[in-house]
Amino acid sequence: MHGSAHDLLRRDCPGRLLLDHITAKWGILVLTALSDGPLRFHQVRDRVDGVSDKMLTQTLRTFAEDGLVDRTVLPTAPPSVTYALTDLGADATRELAPFLRWVRATASRT
């Protein structure tokens, strides 16, 4: 695949934008927080220690546009919103799991 449009090392690769979104500062953590099931905004924020409301909103919006996260508005008063991984988002978290195990193991050795 070297030299093709699908080579992630090339700036014109379509997958590069998705890679950038997932590996952004809060991306992997937000996906991981949603891996156990749908959550409301404040639940995601509470699970991802340190993320600001602004950054969480931006990350969730980007993931919804990328097709990784579904945003569902429930018809309550006031409306409540839940976020859940799509099939694509669930695939991403499964693929990230070995990497996250490596990170945890490495961090415990340092």
Side-chain angles (χ1 to χ4, degrees), residues 35 85-101:
S35 66
L85 294 177
T86 61
D87 289 343
L88 184 63
D91 287 347
T93 60
R94 275 192 297 279
E95 295 298 324
L96 288 167
F99 172 69
L100 294 175
R101 279 193 298 275

Side-chain angles (χ1 to χ4, degrees), residues 20-95:
D20 288 345
H21 293 167
I22 291 171
T23 60
K25 182 173 183 179
W26 301 106
I28 292 173
L29 300 176
V30 169
L31 290 175
T32 301
L34 291 169
S35 66
D36 290 331
L39 297 171
R40 294 184 59 187
F41 182 89
H42 72 278
Q43 293 172 309
V44 179
R45 186 191 59 219
D46 291 349
R47 290 189 81 182
V48 183
D49 190 30
V51 68
S52 68
D53 287 356
K54 178 183 175 183
M55 288 309 301
L56 181 55
T57 298
Q58 181 178 329
T59 301
L60 289 167
R61 183 177 298 130
T62 298
F63 283 167
E65 292 168 1
D66 290 340
L68 296 169
V69 170
D70 274 332
R71 180 182 187 270
T72 303
V73 179
L74 303 173
T76 58
S80 62
V81 179
T82 61
Y83 297 90
L85 294 177
T86 61
D87 289 343
L88 184 63
D91 287 347
T93 60
R94 275 192 297 279
E95 295 298 324

